Amino acid sequence: MNDTLYDTVILGGGPAGVAAAVYAARKKIKTLLITKEFGGQSVVASEIENWIGEEEISGFELAMKLEKHVKKYKEDVDIKTPETVTKIEKVACEDEARVCDFVVTTESGDTYRAKSVIYALGGRRRKLGIPGEDRLEGTGVSYCATCDAPLFSDKKVVVVGGGNAGAEAAVDLLPYAEKVTILQNKDQLTADTATVDRINSEEKIEVITNASAQEITGSQTVEGVVYKDENGEEKTIEAGGVFVEIGSIPNSELVEDMVETDDHGQIKIDPRHGSTSQPGLYAAGDVTDDPYKQNNTAAGDAVKAALAAYSYVQNLPKRSPAEEPEE
């Protein structure tokens, strides 16, 4: 076991993990960041237009900037990469008044102790698992309409999925796409009634039910989608983009027995400071039950988590400036 007792160990190198590390470093608490790679889920995006402060940036460039930023604080943040965490435990307290330690174990067999943990391992998009999906990811295959809709201006696009995610993606695409086709593998859309009513009122949206996507076609970029209709017949839709909206899977497995999660495996947090049901363990980003899975919200939530972790290890209460008494 490493002899160093860290004030906090941050897991994840996406916008959430890096934002937490920068703020922890600025608070001068002993910090360790462990990540397989920098950038998070956006690392495969060819263009990102909603990262605040950048009119346009690729996922690779964003990852490089995140890494460069956190390494500016190398005197205050130890970085272990590429590294994967395999286990997290909490040491029992002998004294209930003392901050208990966490023990983090990595794939290489190293272990690290910390007074707190900021869990920012994000999530992974649920994929279709069909030919062309992985090959064309980032060049027409997208998993985030909120992020990428402007890149598909005046193009015909297909949204795979007829639940809330798919229906909301179709609405997000309306201001940009020439036409939106929703492929739903059930006999009707399963989104909220209000959203379905909106879908049905839009001339630019076509809904094909009982349709199962079979292949995404194209050489360098997406050119179409092959699907089977209710009779088992294969048909092709011409499209310049495909949005896979069949849900996501939070990477919460390491702490699912330590913290309270919802029915979907998302870690429940207090949105004021990212605390979980386990004292000393904070979470931020796509792994949490925050409904807005965005780089900017992940970074903001992680900043709050880092500041809360600082207060926790210092045993300091934190109050709003509005609560300060008048002079």
Side-chain angles (χ1 to χ4, degrees), residues 36-56:
K36 183 177 180 181
E37 63 181 355
F38 285 94
Q41 294 185 71
S42 295
V43 72
V44 298
S46 57
E47 295 178 66
I48 299 170
E49 294 185 340
N50 60 347
W51 178 249
I52 303 304
E54 297 281 358
E55 293 183 9
E56 183 180 302

Side-chain angles (χ1 to χ4, degrees), residues 3 43-44 52 68 86 89 94 108 141 155 161 167 171 180 202 211 226 280 284:
D3 291 333
V43 72
V44 298
I52 303 304
K68 181 180 179 181
T86 58
E89 301 172 279
E94 296 177 2
S108 61
V141 175
K155 292 184 178 182
V171 172
V180 180
E202 295 289 346
V226 179

Side-chain angles (χ1 to χ4, degrees), residues 6-25 29-35 70 77-80 85 104 114 116-121 282 302 305-306 309:
Y6 290 95
D7 289 312
T8 191
V9 170
I10 298 168
L11 311 182
V18 170
V22 168
Y23 268 75
I29 58 176
K30 188 62 178 174
T31 301
L32 171 64
L33 172 68
I34 304 175
T35 184
V70 74
V77 181
D78 291 340
I79 300 173
K80 300 295 180 182
V85 175
V104 176
S116 66
V117 170
I118 299 176
Y119 197 93
L121 288 178
Y282 301 83

Side-chain angles (χ1 to χ4, degrees), residues 201-244:
S201 70
E202 295 289 346
E203 294 183 359
K204 287 173 61 175
I205 299 179
E206 178 185 3
V207 179
I208 303 177
T209 56
N210 296 310
S212 174
Q214 300 296 303
E215 181 182 1
I216 299 172
T217 62
S219 54
Q220 302 299 317
T221 61
V222 169
E223 296 174 7
V225 178
V226 179
Y227 72 95
K228 281 187 179 180
D229 66 12
E230 58 186 344
N231 299 314
E233 182 181 348
E234 285 198 351
K235 297 182 178 180
T236 301
I237 304 173
E238 177 187 343
V242 178
F243 288 82
V244 180

